Amino acid sequence: MNQIVLFSICFVGIFFSYLIFGLIQESMQTRSYKNGEKYNFMLTLVFGQSLTSYICGYLICQHYKLWGNPPPLRYNLGCSCCYFSAMLASNYALKWVSYPTQVIGKSCKPIPIIILTAILARKGESLKRWLAVSCIVVGVVTFNLFKPGKSLDYSLSVGDVLILVSLLFDGLTASFQEIIRGKYQTNSYLMMYELNKWAVVILFPFILFGEGFAVVQFVLKNPEVIFMILAFSFTSAIGQNFIFLTISNFGPLSLSLITTLRKFFTVLGSILVFGHVLTNYQKLSVVVVFTGILLDTWVKSSKK
């Protein structure tokens, strides 16, 4: 397949799958259902997301014979636990913060990745990258300080803390992945399969003996939730597939550029669809954050 055509397919696949994913996520978790209930079953949501991605990873590995030699169990388990913990924390955060706040906050992901990969994977970063990341931090702090109706006497909410927890687990996930790639040369699709397989295995007992019965009752009263969960899970799996396809054919730089644009338009879509109000300072901070992300991408590309 022509590389330009393949890149266009990857771009469209990532852009629209995660744009739809974000809109479904916000709609499902912020709307009121019958009797004023909210959807609060994040374990089930992440389980469905992981199960769909696991099936997708299995089918790809089986079709293209990408099994190879998986890394030791301790790395797979550690990586998987950090992976789904990051998703759980960011999903729970939406109970206290808006979706644009969550996306902007998660843009600080390079910070824990740089720190934890330096400590755990023994991989350092340049001063230029630290400056680019500082730009992101300034934008995120400004965005949170100048929320509509808030004074500058800012204190962390539960949602902000959960975003920080999610960022910590993102950094740990990246560190595990760096070790797995460096020591065992595991391909991206096998990593996708192993990551989600263990997430499914670990989360299933919590669903079965925990919130499973409550989820069934909620779905019986609100059957439209089934479609939303399925759409949420499938768009996530499709997005993951295009992410790994992009990394395999065009490298992490191209992926960074695509995901940066995707995040920007996801924030824009959330504002337009759900009517979030941003102050002028927050609008400026969004520009600063994405400028920092683009600078970070440029630094990584120049280093290569």
Side-chain angles (χ1 to χ4, degrees), residues 283-303:
K283 292 174 185 176
L284 178 62
S285 69
V286 170
V287 175
V288 172
V289 167
F290 286 102
T291 300
I293 294 173
L294 290 172
L295 286 172
D296 182 50
T297 302
W298 173 76
V299 170
K300 287 187 287 187
S301 67
S302 63
K303 187 171 66 173

Side-chain angles (χ1 to χ4, degrees), residues 177-219:
Q177 289 175 329
E178 195 70 39
I179 293 169
I180 291 170
R181 273 193 293 262
K183 284 188 175 182
Y184 306 101
Q185 287 76 52
T186 304
N187 68 74
S188 297
Y189 286 107
L190 181 55
M191 194 179 297
M192 174 183 177
Y193 166 79
E194 292 288 344
L195 198 68
N196 289 287
K197 177 183 76 175
W198 291 109
V200 169
V201 170
I202 295 167
L203 288 172
F204 182 71
F206 291 96
I207 306 299
L208 186 62
F209 301 108
E211 64 182 34
F213 182 71
V215 171
V216 171
Q217 287 186 312
F218 186 86
V219 167

Side-chain angles (χ1 to χ4, degrees), residues 73-221:
L73 180 60
R74 66 181 184 277
Y75 288 119
N76 280 330
L77 282 177
C79 190
S80 184
C81 287
C82 294
Y83 160 75
F84 71 72
S85 296
M87 290 195 294
L88 281 172
S90 61
N91 274 291
Y92 275 115
L94 287 176
K95 293 175 67 176
W96 291 276
V97 300
S98 67
Y99 191 75
T101 300
Q102 186 223 52
V103 174
I104 295 296
K106 290 280 285 183
S107 297
C108 285
K109 188 185 291 188
I111 299 172
I113 290 176
I114 290 174
I115 295 172
L116 292 171
T117 51
I119 295 171
L120 300 177
R122 302 183 185 280
K123 181 182 176 183
E125 294 293 346
S126 66
L127 178 61
K128 288 180 181 178
R129 192 170 187 207
W130 276 107
L131 291 173
V133 169
S134 298
C135 184
I136 299 172
V137 175
V138 169
V140 171
V141 171
T142 304
F143 186 90
N144 282 286
L145 280 176
F146 291 95
K147 289 179 181 177
K150 298 284 186 180
S151 68
L152 290 181
D153 184 19
Y154 181 75
S155 59
L156 288 175
S157 69
V158 175
D160 295 322
V161 172
L162 285 169
I163 290 173
L164 291 173
V165 170
S166 179
L167 287 170
L168 172 62
F169 282 117
D170 280 331
L172 289 169
T173 302
S175 301
F176 275 114
Q177 289 175 329
E178 195 70 39
I179 293 169
I180 291 170
R181 273 193 293 262
K183 284 188 175 182
Y184 306 101
Q185 287 76 52
T186 304
N187 68 74
S188 297
Y189 286 107
L190 181 55
M191 194 179 297
M192 174 183 177
Y193 166 79
E194 292 288 344
L195 198 68
N196 289 287
K197 177 183 76 175
W198 291 109
V200 169
V201 170
I202 295 167
L203 288 172
F204 182 71
F206 291 96
I207 306 299
L208 186 62
F209 301 108
E211 64 182 34
F213 182 71
V215 171
V216 171
Q217 287 186 312
F218 186 86
V219 167
L220 288 175
K221 289 189 289 184

